[in-house]
Amino acid sequence: MSTIEAEVDALRSEALEALTQADGEAAREAWRAEWLGRKDGRLTLRLRALKDAPPESRAALGKSLNELKATLEAELEARRDSARAAALSADAALDVTLPGRPQSLGRLHPVTQTMNDCIAAFAEMGFRVFEGPEVEWSRYNFDAVRIPDDHPARDMWDTIWIDTLIEGERQILLRTHTSPNQIRVMEQTEPPVRVIVPGKCYRQEATDATHEWMLTQIEGLAVDEGVRMSDLKGTLYAFARRLFGEDRRIIFHHSYFPFVEPGVEMAIDCFLCRAGGSDCRTCHDTGWIEILGAGMVHPEIIENAGYDSSRYTGFAFGVGIERVAMLRWGIEDIRHFYQNDLRFLRQF
Ligand code: DAH
């Protein structure tokens, strides 16, 4: 064995022996300072003294000392790792009698829950679900459903338009209602048609307790031979009772929507004051709460879809889902739905 090897071997044995004796992190740290300390660690000093070694053995000695340094560092790390592992398993000694840590479970958003319940109610009556685009052509959103050019709904202030110009005009928008899908469905299928179209709609709104700039609707459409107003009433009556209770009563008022004739609004009897009418915030003492718009599909729309309007008739309706959810649970402000406050969302 060369003198170099002998010297490095001796250092190694001494250092490793000392490390085995070093019990606890303080002792390990002291050992590190003694051997590897930057200023005056024993190995550090030895490496520094290399420059005084005879030139012919300097390289070999340097190599051995550097290897030793790497060994000592690795050994120290290994000792520290096993000390940490031992501490951990001592801490976490398994106690099977402790209660488990509860997982916090997610749940469906109240609007999604309500949407699902509405869909289920219509699905049971034979309606299929169809979906249309949220970014829509103005010709579907407005023209095809007979909303004329000068209608206020088309205004910049009411509608969120996409800036892209086509033939010099804005023609693309975030749909303001789900009604354009009446047209999309009829273009793609032949009667009998029985569909619902759930989805988000967007309007430029100053938000308040009952208005949001994004809202969720379900559009309904049924077209067949001999579809009558009584079918519309029966369908919506079944829906209202399913969502708001078997003893619900409904009433239809005349209303105007360009795509239906006649058009109606349907209200349910106020289940809070039972039309008792003293300061009822829900029905404003009228005893009735409007929940949706509906009507018999305008014959012009039936014709435009390529159906024969002397043979086919239909009804359509549009329900605002946030409104249904608010009534169901007595939520007084629509803005709660989209503020992502878990204290609110956890209640449903
Ligand atoms: N699209 C109307 C709205 O957003 C709601 C509506 C009313 C839909 C009457 C219909 C309908 O299908 O027949 O205000």
Side-chain angles (χ1 to χ4, degrees), residues 4 49-65:
I4 292 175
L50 255 184
K51 59 179 190 312
D52 305 325
E56 61 283 4
S57 59
R58 198 180 292 155
L61 181 59
K63 184 164 174 277
S64 299
L65 288 173

Side-chain angles (χ1 to χ4, degrees), residues 161-347:
W161 291 89
I162 305 292
D163 268 342
T164 311
L165 298 183
I166 296 169
E167 289 164 2
E169 277 181 56
R170 288 202 179 86
Q171 297 194 19
I172 306 172
L173 46 83
L174 298 186
R175 67 180 175 200
T176 61
H177 54 174
T178 43
S179 300
N181 295 293
Q182 294 182 24
I183 314 303
R184 287 184 173 276
V185 168
M186 287 192 275
E187 278 177 355
Q188 290 174 33
T189 48
E190 290 301 313
V193 171
R194 214 173 268 117
V195 292
I196 48 170
V197 188
K200 296 194 181 75
C201 308
Y202 303 84
R203 294 173 191 180
Q204 199 120 307
E205 295 270 15
T207 59
D208 64 22
T210 53
H211 296 86
E212 256 291 9
W213 63 272
M214 182 189 82
L215 60 148
T216 315
Q217 292 189 333
I218 290 186
E219 190 78 15
L221 177 71
V223 184
D224 200 353
E225 286 181 42
V227 172
R228 299 185 301 178
M229 188 82 186
S230 52
D231 298 312
L232 165 65
K233 285 182 156 184
T235 304
L236 295 178
Y237 184 36
F239 165 72
R241 298 197 336 161
R242 167 83 186 252
L243 260 104
F244 296 105
E246 286 298 317
D247 56 347
R248 217 54 312 107
R249 290 187 300 141
I250 55 170
I251 193 170
F252 289 89
H253 296 292
H254 171 261
S255 185
Y256 175 74
F257 302 98
F259 35 93
V260 285
E261 177 59 36
V264 293
E265 265 170 42
M266 186 179 91
I268 56 177
D269 57 327
C270 183
F271 41 77
L272 288 180
C273 71
R274 297 256 160 203
S278 67
D279 291 337
C280 181
R281 274 198 296 154
T282 306
C283 72
H284 304 292
D285 298 341
T286 60
W288 297 100
I289 309 163
E290 303 282 357
I291 64 165
L292 54 83
M296 298 306 289
V297 181
H298 199 289
E300 217 173 278
I301 288 184
I302 303 252
E303 283 291 326
N304 288 345
Y307 299 172
D308 177 356
S309 68
S310 65
R311 188 169 162 203
Y312 295 111
T313 49
F315 66 76
F317 57 86
V319 197
I321 306 304
E322 284 84 358
R323 176 139 175 82
V324 172
M326 287 168 80
L327 290 171
R328 227 176 158 190
W329 285 306
I331 296 164
E332 75 291 353
D333 194 321
I334 194 172
R335 291 168 293 193
H336 286 313
F337 287 124
Y338 302 113
Q339 281 166 349
N340 280 341
D341 185 336
L342 290 178
R343 290 168 305 177
F344 169 76
L345 295 172
R346 282 203 179 106
Q347 297 174 50

Side-chain angles (χ1 to χ4, degrees), residues 139-154:
R139 97 188 121 82
Y140 277 107
N141 195 84
F142 295 130
D143 305 80
V145 288
R146 304 182 72 253
I147 298 177
D149 264 340
D150 56 359
H151 195 281
R154 295 201 182 219

